[in-house]
Amino acid sequence: MLDTDRPSRAIRRLLHVDRTFADEPRRLRRGLTDLLPDEDEAVRLLAAGAEAGVPALLKFGAAAQARQALVDGAGLRPGDADWVVAVWTAGLDASEPPRAAPGAGDGPGAPEAVSMALLADGTALLLTRGTGGVHAGRVGLGDPRPAPPRWQRVAAPAEPGSRDAAVAVTGGGATIVWSDRAGVFAAEVRPDGIGRARLIVPAGPGEQARRPLGALAVEDGSLDVFWSADGRRLRRGMWRSWSAEAVTLDLPPACGAGEELRRVAVGRGGADVAWLAVATDQGRLLISRWDLGRDTVAAWVPVPLPMRVLDVAAVGGSMLVATDSGQPLMFDSASAFARQAVAPPPASGRSGDRVESLAAAFDPAGVLWIAMRVGGIGALTNIVPDSQRRVSLSLWPA
C-alpha cells in the first residue's frame, strides 16, 4: 500500500508555492519528481489524477465523480483511484486559502462576457465571466432607482480564458452553469443565495469543457447545455433529474477551416421550437433550429452580414447581435434561418461605443432589458418609449 502522508505533503507544498500546479499535469509531475525522487508510482498516479481533473472535482465536493473519472477515464484500479482521491483531498484541504465572504468587495473586475436572466421575483440575475472567475449579482428592476448588483464569485475555473458561463431560467428560479476541466458544473440560484456546485455533464476521457457555453431548461427537472471540448464543434449535454447520468450528443459542424467558436446563444422560440446561434472568431454568425417535438437540431445556416459579429444573445424567437459597426442588431430567428436577408445596423463611427458583449431579455410588460459591456464598462439599460421610465445602471467600472 502506498504511503499517503509524504505525497499529500508534497502536493500541499507545491500548491502553496503556486496553485496552478493542479491545472498543469506535466509541470506537476516535474515538481513531484523533485520532492518525491524515490516514489515514481506515486508521482505517476498523482499526475494522472491531475490529467483527469481530480483537483477541480474535489474543490466542488465531487469525490465520487473524481473516483469514477480515474477508473473509467484514466483506467486506474479502484484501489489506486481511492488512493489518488485521498492524497489530493488532503493536499487541497490544507492548501486551500480562505475566501473572502461574498459581497460588493468581491467584484468581477473587468469581465470579458456578460449573461442575464429575468426571474419571476422581478429581479435581473446578471452573470459575468473573466479572469477573476464567474460572478453573479442581482438588480431589482421594479425599484425606482435600481442599485448596482452586489457581486458574488460563483466559481473560479482553471484557465478561465478558455472557459465560459451561462444562466438558464428554471421554473421560478435559475441555474448557473460554467465549464471547467472536468466538464460542465451547475449551481441553483435560491432565494437565500447560490446552492452548492455539482458536475452535471462530465467531459470525456482526455477532454475538457471549454467555451462557448449556453443553456436552456426545456421543462422542469431538465437542463440542456451546449458546450465544446475543442472550441470548434458544439456538443449537447442533456441533464435530467430523473436520470443517473447525463447524455452527450455531437451537433452538426459549424466552423470552417481554422475557425473557432466564440459564443453560443440559445432561446425558446415557441412551444415546439428553440433557436441556436453561434458567433465565431472570424466574425461569422450561424443559426440553427432545434425542433423540440422531434428533438432534432438542424444544420447550421450562415447569416450574411457586411460586418464582423462580436457577440450574440437569444431573446425568445429573436437574436440580438453585437457587431464591430458599433450598434446592436436584432432580427427574427425564423426569418434568418429561412435565409431571408437581415438589414445591417447603422455604423456609430466611434470604436468606444462598440458593444463587445451583451445579453438581453423581455420582462412580463414587454420591456427589453439589455446588459452589455461597452469599452470595458458594464451597463444595464432598457428600451422603452420616451414617456416611460428609462434605466441606465453601471454594473462594473472600466
Side-chain angles (χ1 to χ4, degrees):
M1 176 67 67
L2 291 173
D3 174 50
T4 59
D5 183 57
R6 276 174 48 84
S8 64
R9 283 191 281 115
I11 290 286
R12 192 178 314 153
R13 182 175 175 183
L14 289 176
L15 297 185
H16 179 74
V17 174
D18 186 351
R19 297 199 58 79
T20 63
F21 270 108
D23 304 323
E24 302 176 20
R26 293 182 181 178
R27 185 164 161 250
L28 174 76
R29 183 188 290 269
R30 292 195 297 268
L32 289 174
T33 299
D34 291 339
L35 296 176
L36 305 170
D38 301 322
E39 300 184 43
D40 293 345
E41 181 66 3
V43 171
R44 181 186 72 82
L45 290 172
L46 292 173
E51 291 173 355
V54 167
L57 287 166
L58 294 177
K59 288 178 184 178
F60 294 108
Q65 291 94 327
R67 184 182 184 279
Q68 183 177 359
L70 290 167
V71 174
D72 297 342
L76 268 60
R77 294 175 298 182
D80 289 339
D82 291 338
W83 181 87
V84 171
V85 170
V87 172
W88 269 110
T89 298
L92 289 168
D93 285 348
S95 62
E96 183 72 25
R99 286 190 178 183
D106 189 20
E112 301 172 17
V114 60
S115 302
M116 180 176 66
L118 301 191
L119 306 185
D121 62 1
T123 62
L125 176 65
L126 297 152
L127 193 69
T128 66
R129 183 262 300 164
T131 56
V134 178
H135 288 75
R138 293 197 194 195
V139 173
L141 302 183
D143 298 344
R145 291 187 177 180
R150 289 178 57 85
W151 293 103
Q152 174 182 350
R153 187 166 69 170
V154 178
E159 303 163 3
S162 67
R163 312 300 177 189
D164 205 355
V167 58
V169 175
T170 50
T175 299
I176 297 170
V177 297
W178 65 93
S179 51
D180 207 335
R181 292 178 63 97
V184 178
F185 290 82
E188 293 182 7
V189 179
R190 302 169 179 168
D192 60 344
I194 297 173
R196 186 180 181 87
R198 64 188 190 280
L199 180 67
I200 60 169
V201 181
E207 296 181 336
Q208 300 183 30
R210 301 190 179 275
R211 66 177 180 183
L213 179 68
L216 182 68
V218 176
E219 58 183 335
D220 290 344
S222 73
L223 191 66
D224 286 70
V225 294
F226 298 86
W227 60 285
S228 179
D230 59 6
R232 301 193 69 251
R233 184 161 185 167
L234 273 184
R235 289 178 172 175
R236 176 186 166 200
M238 297 174 286
W239 177 84
R240 305 292 184 261
S241 61
W242 56 85
S243 177
E245 295 183 358
V247 177
T248 300
L249 302 174
D250 285 330
L251 296 190
C255 289
E259 191 173 30
E260 292 189 0
L261 299 170
R262 180 170 183 167
R263 189 75 152 164
V264 59
V266 54
R268 190 76 174 260
D272 298 319
V273 65
W275 296 100
L276 292 160
V278 291
T280 76
D281 63 344
Q282 295 184 11
R284 291 202 309 142
L285 179 69
L286 301 97
I287 193 167
S288 177
R289 186 179 189 275
W290 177 11
D291 187 321
L292 301 178
R294 298 180 179 179
D295 201 19
T296 57
V297 177
W300 296 96
V301 173
V303 181
L305 291 171
M307 71 287 291
R308 291 177 58 87
V309 171
L310 305 179
D311 199 3
V312 58
V315 193
S318 300
M319 293 292 169
L320 185 65
V321 178
T323 72
D324 63 0
S325 72
Q327 295 295 321
L329 162 69
M330 196 167 190
F331 61 84
D332 179 68
S333 299
S335 298
F337 185 71
R339 301 182 184 271
Q340 297 180 18
V342 174
S348 71
R350 296 184 297 176
S351 60
D353 291 337
R354 291 178 183 172
V355 177
E356 301 150 331
S357 178
L358 52 72
F362 285 106
D363 68 16
V367 174
L368 179 64
W369 292 84
I370 304 177
M372 64 189 105
R373 169 182 161 158
V374 183
I377 299 174
L380 176 67
T381 187
N382 57 352
I383 307 300
V384 295
D386 294 338
S387 61
Q388 297 186 25
R389 181 175 64 96
R390 178 74 180 272
V391 174
S392 183
L393 179 68
S394 176
L395 298 177
W396 65 81

